[in-house]
Amino acid sequence: MNQRLEILRKSALGSHIPVMRPETANLLAQEIRLCRPQNVLEIGTCIGLGVITMLYSGAERVTSIEIDEDRFWQAKANIKEFGLSERCEILLGDCKEILPLMENNRYDFVVLDGPKSYYIDAYPYIKKMLTSHGKIFADDVKFYGMVEGEENPKRKHRTNVNRLREFIVAVKSDSVFDCKEYDIEDGVIILSHREKDPQ
């Protein structure tokens, strides 16, 4: 992984900015190198480290959505510093409002790293937008261990935990995808189109 990028990641984590952690970022980079996607959609830009990681790893172009204006501008600045601005588009706004407007777009790879309670609502849209060889990379699916843990999480976390549980049930039961879980950091699920049985 690029040394400058890792310095930026450590600084962000030290400032409690919720960027993707190292093992998860390495897994994302590995998947991008394997797939070489032409068009990537990321939900949850934060300060742009995911965009930079994917573009450095071989993605042709990335579109990313961020709701927080300060982080949006910080992401733009970070991406510019790495010389990657021409290969990405960062959209400022609520993914709940933006995603339905994008349903006719097509992407080879989708990263879910935004509001955890929205994963289940976003799923039908991104499933429709995904190309036949595409993958979905969902981060933070364990939500600090609470998704697999206590039955009744604390009230402030209840919506996120319950909605993530719904999302996990939905993707595991979806016959369209193979679902692979990774027990690293805060948990990752990767969905890939299931190969059709030969006729």
Side-chain angles (χ1 to χ4, degrees), residues 32 36-40 51-64 79 82-90:
I32 293 293
R36 294 282 172 175
Q38 294 293 306
N39 290 297
V40 177
V51 172
I52 296 166
T53 296
M54 290 187 283
L55 291 174
Y56 261 54
S57 300
E60 186 66 28
R61 184 166 182 81
V62 178
T63 300
S64 188
I79 292 163
F82 278 79
L84 298 169
S85 298
E86 292 185 1
R87 292 170 56 199
C88 65
E89 181 180 19
I90 312 300

Side-chain angles (χ1 to χ4, degrees), residues 24-80:
T24 305
N26 285 335
L27 177 61
L28 175 62
Q30 177 183 313
E31 287 295 319
I32 293 293
R33 285 193 293 269
L34 182 67
C35 299
R36 294 282 172 175
Q38 294 293 306
N39 290 297
V40 177
L41 174 64
E42 179 187 49
I43 298 174
T45 316
C46 197
I47 60 169
L49 301 195
V51 172
I52 296 166
T53 296
M54 290 187 283
L55 291 174
Y56 261 54
S57 300
E60 186 66 28
R61 184 166 182 81
V62 178
T63 300
S64 188
I65 304 169
E66 176 56 48
I67 192 171
D68 183 279
E69 188 169 359
D70 288 340
R71 288 179 180 166
F72 166 83
W73 289 112
Q74 193 173 356
K76 298 268 282 187
N78 287 335
I79 292 163
K80 183 177 181 181

Side-chain angles (χ1 to χ4, degrees), residues 155-173:
R155 186 172 181 177
K156 66 178 180 178
H157 299 306
R158 195 169 298 159
T159 299
N160 280 332
V161 171
N162 289 338
R163 301 281 279 169
L164 276 170
R165 287 172 177 167
E166 287 180 48
F167 170 74
I168 292 168
V169 169
V171 299
K172 283 185 174 181
S173 61

Side-chain angles (χ1 to χ4, degrees), residues 127-161:
K127 182 178 175 180
K128 181 179 178 182
M129 291 190 283
L130 202 66
T131 59
S132 60
H133 57 278
K135 289 187 176 183
I136 298 170
F137 185 104
D139 190 18
D140 299 325
V141 293
K142 291 190 175 182
F143 198 72
Y144 309 108
M146 285 186 258
V147 170
E148 294 179 331
E150 55 191 286
E151 288 299 317
N152 295 304
K154 292 180 180 178
R155 186 172 181 177
K156 66 178 180 178
H157 299 306
R158 195 169 298 159
T159 299
N160 280 332
V161 171

Side-chain angles (χ1 to χ4, degrees), residues 77-199:
N78 287 335
I79 292 163
K80 183 177 181 181
E81 185 180 335
F82 278 79
L84 298 169
S85 298
E86 292 185 1
R87 292 170 56 199
C88 65
E89 181 180 19
I90 312 300
L91 304 175
L92 175 61
D94 190 336
C95 58
K96 297 175 186 178
E97 298 173 357
I98 294 175
L99 204 57
L101 304 176
M102 302 172 69
E103 62 180 345
N104 291 325
N105 295 359
R106 294 293 174 265
Y107 299 96
D108 311 298
F109 200 97
V110 177
V111 177
L112 270 174
D113 198 18
K116 311 312 166 195
S117 63
Y118 186 60
Y119 282 20
I120 186 64
D121 294 321
Y123 184 54
Y125 291 108
I126 60 178
K127 182 178 175 180
K128 181 179 178 182
M129 291 190 283
L130 202 66
T131 59
S132 60
H133 57 278
K135 289 187 176 183
I136 298 170
F137 185 104
D139 190 18
D140 299 325
V141 293
K142 291 190 175 182
F143 198 72
Y144 309 108
M146 285 186 258
V147 170
E148 294 179 331
E150 55 191 286
E151 288 299 317
N152 295 304
K154 292 180 180 178
R155 186 172 181 177
K156 66 178 180 178
H157 299 306
R158 195 169 298 159
T159 299
N160 280 332
V161 171
N162 289 338
R163 301 281 279 169
L164 276 170
R165 287 172 177 167
E166 287 180 48
F167 170 74
I168 292 168
V169 169
V171 299
K172 283 185 174 181
S173 61
D174 193 330
S175 61
V176 172
F177 294 113
D178 283 319
C179 176
K180 189 168 184 180
E181 297 178 83
Y182 292 81
D183 190 19
I184 58 171
E185 293 168 338
D186 212 10
V188 173
I189 282 177
I190 297 179
L191 303 173
S192 54
H193 278 279
R194 186 165 290 164
E195 291 186 12
K196 295 180 180 179
D197 293 328
Q199 299 297 318

